Amino acid sequence: MAMIPTQKVKTINEKCSNGWHFDILYYTFHSERTLIKQINIDDEYYLEFRLCYSNKKQILVHISKFHKRPNEQMCCYYRFR
């Protein structure tokens, strides 16, 4: 598991704008720095955007759709085809 100082996370988040923030959990498990943003579609659905780098140093955007049923803790992931 990778570790990152709290001050480094704060510095990264201060440079972000428009609802983007550093994904600490993803960094902890994968040792990769990514930014994440969630946009609510309605009360049950939201989109999650993730910015990361490819192995060719290109910026990638991953878009996922999630469904959260009322009164449940877990969300269902929808794969786009």
Side-chain angles (χ1 to χ4, degrees):
M1 284 187 170
M3 299 297 289
I4 187 168
T6 305
Q7 185 59 38
K8 184 70 172 177
V9 173
K10 287 181 182 178
T11 304
I12 293 170
N13 284 336
E14 287 173 357
K15 294 179 182 179
C16 296
S17 61
N18 201 16
W20 291 92
H21 64 276
F22 182 71
D23 190 356
I24 299 168
L25 187 62
Y26 191 85
Y27 180 79
T28 302
F29 289 108
H30 301 284
S31 300
E32 296 177 13
R33 294 182 181 182
T34 62
L35 296 178
I36 192 168
K37 179 178 182 174
Q38 293 180 349
I39 298 176
N40 292 326
I41 299 172
D42 57 25
D43 290 340
E44 293 187 19
Y45 294 92
Y46 68 90
L47 296 176
E48 181 178 276
F49 299 86
R50 180 178 304 277
L51 292 176
C52 59
Y53 284 101
S54 70
N55 58 354
K56 297 180 182 179
K57 302 295 182 190
Q58 297 172 327
I59 296 176
L60 301 175
V61 178
H62 295 274
I63 303 171
S64 303
K65 183 178 180 183
F66 290 89
H67 178 231
K68 183 176 181 189
R69 295 186 180 111
N71 303 322
E72 288 191 16
Q73 297 295 320
M74 300 295 290
C75 298
C76 298
Y77 169 72
Y78 286 95
R79 176 165 273 175
F80 293 112
R81 294 184 188 246

